[in-house]
Every structure is written in C-alpha cells, then in structure tokens.
Amino acid sequence: MPMRAWTRTAAAALLAAGATMGAADEPAGRHAYFGDLHVHTLYSFDAFVFGIRTTPDDAYRYARGAPLPHPAAGEIRLGGPPLDFLAVTDHAEYLGVIPELAAPAQPECRRELAALLNSPTLAEVMQGHSRVARGIVTGEADPNLDDVGVQRATWQDIVAAAERHYRPGEFTTFVGFEYTPHPGANLHRNVIFRGARVPEAPFGALQSLDPEDLWSWLDGLRADGVEAMAIPHNANWSNGAMFALTRSDGALIDAAYAAQRARNEPLIEITQTKGTSETHPLLSPNDEWAGFELFGDRPSHLSGVSAEQVRLPGSYGRQALLDGLAMAARSGFNPYRFGFVGSSDPHNTGGSFVESDYAGKLGIRDGTPPLRGSVPLPVEDAGSAPVAAAAAQQLYWGSGGLAGVWATENTREALYDAMRRGETFATSGPRIRIRLLAGYGLPADLLDRPGGLDRAQAQGAATPMGGELRARAEAPELAVWALRDPASAGLERLQIVKLWVRDGVVGEQVVDVACAGGHQPDPATGRCPATRVTVDLADCSQPAGAGAAELKALWRDPEHRPEDRALYYARVIEHPTCRWSTWDAVRAGLVPNPAVPATIQERAWSSPVWLLPVAHRNR
C-alpha cells in the first residue's frame, strides 16, 4: 500500500527539477521554517484525563523524530522531517494539578473525582473530564484543585524543558501556555513568549474569562521587558464571539480596544485538528473551496446552541478581516489586522500532520479507528451512548495544521519577530511553502531571478505579507509563489483572495492566478480547468506525476481602485488525496465512512498584504 515517504534527497531533486525560485531564493535570505505552536502534554487537565503521561521533554523529542508512547495507538512518530520549532502550550487552568489525582491516597474531597478519572471505563473518564471542565467554563475554580504551588512548580518545569531542548540555528523551543476561557463558546488563545524571561505563572481563565484582561496582563509584562503574544484558535467554535463587533461587555469597539487587540494578537491559528477557520460556504458562497474541514458549525459542539442559533459571522478569519477593513474605513481603526498560522492542538504530546499517520487527538478517547468513527465500534462499546457520541464527533476532526515562518535564521528572536511582522503562513499539514509580496513596477521575471524576492524586499521595492502598501493610481503587482511538499500531492491551483471596502460596502473575490499543467485561468471565470485527477480509494494511490511542483504568478488586480481599502492573501490547493478516515477504512478493508468526504485537498495560506487608500494611513 502506498505510504508517505520524505527524504532530503527527494526534496532536493524536486527543487532542482522545477522550483527555480525556491532553490535559489531561500538560501540567500529568508527561509521557510515549519513548526507547531499548540501542543499539550500530561500537564493539561484534559490530556491527562485521556491517558496521556508524556512530558514537555517527550514533545520536543517527538518533534525531532523520536517515537512517542501513546495510550491507545502504542507508539506514534512524526510524519515527515523534523520540525524546526515547537511550543508546548498546556492549559493554564489547573496546570499540573490533575496528575496528582492518580496518586493512590486522596483527600476525601477528591476521592470521587479521582475514581472517575482513573476509571478503566471511557464513559466514566468522560464524566470526570466534564466535572473538571465545568469550573473552567464558569470561571469559578474548584478549591480542591486550585493548587497554586503545584501550578507554579509545573510552569517552571515547562520553562526548564524549553531551555533544555533549545538549539539555536537547529531547533527552536518557545515557552508558552494556553489561556482557555469558554463562557458558552470558545475564546481560547495560545500565549507565546519571545525568550526565556517569563512570569512566575501563566494567566488563565480562572483569573478572568475576558480576553481583554489577558491583553492588559500582556501589556504589563511588555512594560517590564517581557515580550509575548496571544494567538486565538478555533474561532470556528466561538459562535460569533471570537471576532465580534462589540467588546466583551457589549460596548462598541473603539480605537483603544483596536490598538490593544492588534498589539497583542498579530496572528490567528486558521487551521488545526478541530477544523479550519478561514471561511464558510454560507459566508463565502462564491468560493468553491470554502467548505474545507469544517467543524464549528455543528451545534452539538457549541454549548447550549441549536442549529438555528449558530452564528457564523464573527467565527471565521476572512469575515473578521472584512469587518476590520470596514471599521478602518468608517472609524479609522482596525482590531482585526492579523496574519495566519496553523498548528495541531494534539492532546497526545505530538501532532499528526499527515493524513496517513493520523492517531487522533485525545489519547484513549480517539486513539483507535473505531473510537474516532472511521470504522464501526465494537459491540461492547456501540451500546454506550457517551462513547458512540464521542466517536461521531471525532470523525469530523482533521489532522493537524502547521505554522510556517519566513525568517532569516532558526532562532527564537528571528522567528518571533517574523511572526509579529506577519511573515507567516499556514498549512493544513503538508510542508507546502507559500510566499506573497506586493509592489509597483516589479520586473516581469522577478520570480525567475535567483534571490529575486529577497532582494526586492530588502531594497524596499516590495512589501512582504503582513505589511502595508500605499495605493497608487496604477494597480499593485502581487508576486506569489508556492512549492509543493515532495512527500504529498502535486499542486492544483494558486489563488489570490481579495477583500475590499468601497463606498462603505465590503466585497470579496477569489481568483486563480496559476494552474497545474501549464494551463491558464479562464479570463471569463477566473478559474483553472477542473481537476481530472482521481484517487483510487482501494489503496489511496493516484496517478504518478499529477499536479505541479511549483506554481507562481505576478498578478495585477484588474479591478483596482486607489480609493479602496483592501487586502490580498494567497491560497494554494493540492490535488485530492485520501482523508485520514479513508486511510483508516482502507487499512481495515472497509468502505470509507460516507458521513465525511473520502478525499481532501490539502492547502496553504499566506498572511495578507494590506493596501492603504491614497487618502489615509491607519494601522
């Protein structure tokens, strides 16, 4: 059966064969580094509950290629080459406290909960998990679990592990944690520190459910010389709350709020195991690729929300970018000026970035194909309503995404500063590289010149993603380039997503700018020819040589108006491959579960470039 294989020889051959810009450009200046900014170990209350006993040290070793023990799958390994950087982001709430409940002797007040969490029955374990999570949802700490001494000692262990495994120039470790407020819907953030100087303890939902208080805490740290940022994730689970048009207390967003949010949240996590938060078909009906790995619009996963009540506006990044443009045009400030990263959010201590290697997210809860719904449950479990419901939920989860950063070197300082500038990209798992710059009068052969993009950026002739470009009468030129992952499928199409506001009305458009096979986009539809590549669902194979190794374009916006406030970002889409659920079914000799698509078109997104209208300059 065909399996994923990655070698540096294969990557070098691919670059030599067709990726002229990538091969020549990267060593001369910025390099594409891949990592994960969202990983949980046994110190997270939910990871420990679901059988995880592996540590931050194990997480860093796994990221470099070492095997990792798994309570249901036996042992897992990283699919593909080692990662370039990693952040362990255990939940700040009850940090490290829940593992204590595994000790044989417990105080009377803890015994019932300890029995549930240590039960061999998955249904009872899930009941115990719900009891622990209840306090986090309400913001009211359980006094029997809120042990400050244990939490601070655990935090110091997390910091020490990051220091032990940091190898400047080779492998970067970031100190981090997850802030986990969930007042009826997800408002979670990962907090990433630039260096080793960090506070005595993290800031969690038990301190405040209001993200504005987290930003104020970060501002206070910054005033003391401690630099960190927050990265929202799973906006698709927020029921409109992540990117709302009002503040947490219902007051209107003002300039101070916008500045504080933009200062503390320069990035969002656009894709991960619990779904993709770029956009939704109901928000972007003219985007044929908007329905990718959706999850958050399922009412059963939003606390107390019915199908009729699910709020899509405010739950997706593209809509937030549009709302930010509209606020900037109307009021002069923009709270939603952010770049993109992906990550995995494994509660297994190590993410699964490859569909054929997927091992679930939650240890004993979804570590086998039956428990994640891709094959039928055994008879003994099928009768358990909690287990059956969990399996039905896990079926819609995806494999993890990756964070990509264009930086000059693999160090904390270089990577973090590039993230703050927005020189980042996200992938749904494959090591696809994508880069976008914008400028005026760019040479027609820029993308073919060795080091062309780096020189254009260094000389100020082109603005990188994350930056701002002043509009002129003539349309800007967008230089966009993508290189496939040599161990994944070929590329099908390269796209520009344009968002704008004109005379108070917002608009969005998706345009194909480069196609596989040497084809050109149809001038009338702006689309590449439909793909004819098929996947053999008997063994997940596809025709050899399908798709492009590299796609690139120098594109000028034909609808440009210098008075518009606009932004552009790039998206590249692979040819279809088997989804993880299909891989599970193929290995079991079964037909793939028809409740989810059998195939997936993996992709990558660049961060945006903002186009400022001729009359204004508002950050």
Side-chain angles (χ1 to χ4, degrees), residues 422-447:
E423 289 192 61
T424 61
F425 58 101
T427 93
S428 58
R431 310 295 176 93
I432 303 169
R433 305 175 189 202
I434 187 168
R435 194 172 179 187
L436 172 70
L437 286 88
Y440 297 100
L442 300 179
D445 63 347
L446 175 68
L447 291 165

Side-chain angles (χ1 to χ4, degrees), residues 354-569:
V354 179
E355 300 295 319
S356 60
D357 294 336
Y358 186 61
K361 167 185 165 69
L362 295 174
I364 60 173
R365 182 171 175 176
D366 65 352
T368 65
L371 289 175
R372 52 181 176 262
S374 52
V375 303
L377 283 164
V379 174
E380 60 269 23
D381 291 326
S384 168
V387 174
Q393 172 177 304
Q394 262 71 53
L395 179 63
Y396 293 93
W397 290 11
S399 63
L402 281 171
V405 180
W406 287 101
T408 54
E409 60 182 0
N410 188 359
T411 62
R412 285 175 176 166
E413 297 78 13
L415 290 172
Y416 184 95
D417 293 348
M419 289 192 290
R420 180 160 281 287
R421 291 193 303 269
E423 289 192 61
T424 61
F425 58 101
T427 93
S428 58
R431 310 295 176 93
I432 303 169
R433 305 175 189 202
I434 187 168
R435 194 172 179 187
L436 172 70
L437 286 88
Y440 297 100
L442 300 179
D445 63 347
L446 175 68
L447 291 165
D448 298 317
R449 295 182 178 185
L453 289 184
D454 280 317
R455 274 198 301 275
Q457 183 174 339
Q459 294 168 0
T463 298
M465 48 197 185
E468 297 173 335
L469 182 68
R470 173 79 65 152
R472 297 180 184 176
E474 69 269 30
E477 291 154 327
L478 301 180
V480 57
W481 169 84
L483 179 70
R484 67 169 286 186
D485 179 339
S488 192
L491 306 178
E492 177 189 282
R493 66 188 69 225
L494 181 60
Q495 303 176 312
I496 294 292
V497 178
K498 177 189 177 183
L499 309 178
W500 72 91
V501 57
R502 177 179 300 164
D503 300 327
V505 179
V506 297
E508 65 175 280
Q509 184 182 26
V510 178
V511 180
D512 292 352
V513 296
C515 315
H519 298 291
Q520 296 298 315
D522 186 317
T525 65
R527 291 288 178 264
C528 297
T531 180
R532 290 182 171 84
V533 176
T534 58
V535 179
D536 187 342
L537 298 183
D539 62 3
C540 287
S541 62
Q542 59 176 267
E550 176 192 43
L551 290 174
K552 56 189 176 183
L554 190 63
W555 181 78
R556 182 179 284 109
D557 181 2
E559 303 296 328
H560 167 70
R561 283 193 185 179
E563 66 272 20
D564 291 350
R565 188 177 293 271
L567 65 83
Y568 305 89
Y569 67 88

Side-chain angles (χ1 to χ4, degrees), residues 11 21 30 90 157 165 174 177 246 317 347 361 363 428 481 549 558 592:
M21 174 268 166
R30 282 165 168 72
D90 282 308
D157 185 61
H165 293 271
F174 288 107
F177 67 88
T246 60
H347 287 56
K361 167 185 165 69
S428 58
W481 169 84

Side-chain angles (χ1 to χ4, degrees), residues 36-169:
D36 195 346
L37 296 170
H38 193 172
V39 174
H40 295 273
T41 76
L42 85 162
Y43 291 141
S44 288
F45 74 93
D46 43 4
F48 188 88
V49 165
F50 292 116
I52 300 305
R53 301 295 183 266
T54 39
T55 67
D57 289 292
D58 293 318
Y60 294 125
R61 285 190 284 262
Y62 173 82
R64 301 303 291 159
L68 181 71
H70 188 286
E75 185 177 273
I76 60 176
R77 283 183 179 270
L78 182 70
L83 296 181
D84 298 307
F85 60 90
L86 188 81
V88 170
T89 55
D90 282 308
H91 295 293
E93 300 76 20
Y94 302 137
L95 182 67
V97 174
I98 304 305
E100 288 197 336
L101 273 67
Q106 292 292 331
E108 181 66 33
C109 60
R110 288 185 174 182
R111 286 179 188 169
E112 181 184 358
L113 180 57
L116 288 173
L117 296 180
N118 291 302
S119 171
T121 304
L122 180 57
E124 290 188 344
V125 170
M126 291 167 62
Q127 182 182 346
H129 169 267
S130 296
R131 286 184 54 176
V132 175
R134 193 175 303 133
I136 297 173
V137 170
T138 62
E140 298 177 2
D142 183 333
N144 298 312
L145 300 177
D146 196 22
D147 191 321
V148 174
V150 169
Q151 293 177 65
R152 292 195 173 189
T154 302
W155 176 241
Q156 292 306 313
D157 185 61
I158 291 170
V159 174
E163 290 303 292
R164 281 193 293 273
H165 293 271
Y166 182 31
R167 302 287 184 271

Side-chain angles (χ1 to χ4, degrees), residues 340-361:
F340 300 149
V341 291
S343 280
S344 65
D345 192 15
H347 287 56
N348 299 329
T349 309
S352 297
F353 311 106
V354 179
E355 300 295 319
S356 60
D357 294 336
Y358 186 61
K361 167 185 165 69

